[in-house]
Amino acid sequence: VPLVLLQISTTAVVKITSLKVFWTFLKVGSVLYGSGYVLFAYLDAELVSAGWLTQQELMDAIAVGQFTPGPVLSTATFIGYQLTGFWGAIAASVGIFLPSFLFVLLLNPLVPRMRKSPFLSYFLDSVNVAAVAVMLGVLVTMSMETLITWQAVVIALISVFFTFGPKKLNPMWLILI
């Protein structure tokens, strides 16, 4: 019997409520800086390690979000819906954006003064560099998870060529192809 219990997915054991979804996305929203790729790193730490989603489900949710306008909103809403349905979608959406609205409200008057300070200006530049580093880390993680066949590697190389090479295509065409 214990061996049978070990085979049960943690997603079946963990009771997820809309309130838990809200608090998780509120926490992610309060430290999120960057793009949807940075969001992947935070959600991986919060949702996959907690057993709420698998790595593949998270990558699918990020892909859905990148395909639609407003990738962070789409990803948060999609994951919230996956976890607890309609109210989870609402909870995740409100949770991920509420900190941004509060931070803008509180910090907007201070940012011009912060930029004039040499120390704080360097700090803000460092935050930008850290966001790029997190995106590169996510790129490596996602590559190791998805580029496991030669077909996937060929598709990735062709996509990189047509995104950054001399003959640039709109990324939407690459997604459709």
Side-chain angles (χ1 to χ4, degrees), residues 4 13 33 55 64 75 84 136 149 171:
V4 172
V13 175
Y33 182 82
Q55 187 85 32
V64 166
T75 300
T84 61
L136 288 173
T149 65

Side-chain angles (χ1 to χ4, degrees), residues 35-174:
S35 70
Y37 302 110
V38 176
L39 178 67
F40 179 86
Y42 291 123
L43 292 180
D44 182 58
E46 290 295 322
L47 303 175
V48 175
S49 64
W52 292 9
L53 290 176
T54 66
Q55 187 85 32
Q56 186 61 48
E57 290 170 334
L58 179 60
M59 284 195 294
D60 291 344
I62 297 290
V64 166
Q66 294 300 310
F67 187 71
T68 59
V72 173
L73 174 65
S74 301
T75 300
T77 305
F78 183 73
I79 290 173
Y81 185 80
Q82 280 183 306
L83 294 174
T84 61
F86 176 78
W87 292 112
I90 299 295
S93 300
V94 170
I96 201 151
F97 284 111
L98 185 60
S100 298
F101 287 116
L102 294 176
F103 288 151
V104 168
L105 181 69
L106 296 173
L107 296 178
N108 191 35
L110 301 176
V111 170
R113 284 189 269 165
M114 291 170 65
R115 274 287 172 198
K116 290 179 185 172
S117 164
F119 174 77
L120 291 176
S121 180
Y122 290 134
F123 173 75
L124 293 173
D125 290 342
S126 300
V127 169
N128 287 334
V129 170
V132 171
V134 169
M135 286 184 250
L136 288 173
V138 168
L139 173 69
V140 170
T141 300
M142 289 177 75
S143 297
M144 290 183 344
E145 293 287 329
T146 58
L147 300 178
I148 53 177
T149 65
W150 68 269
Q151 295 96 334
V153 172
V154 168
I155 291 170
L157 291 174
I158 291 171
S159 298
V160 167
F161 176 77
F162 282 116
T163 300
F164 300 109
K167 177 67 176 150
K168 295 180 183 187
L169 284 178
N170 184 322
M172 185 58 67
W173 290 111
L174 293 174

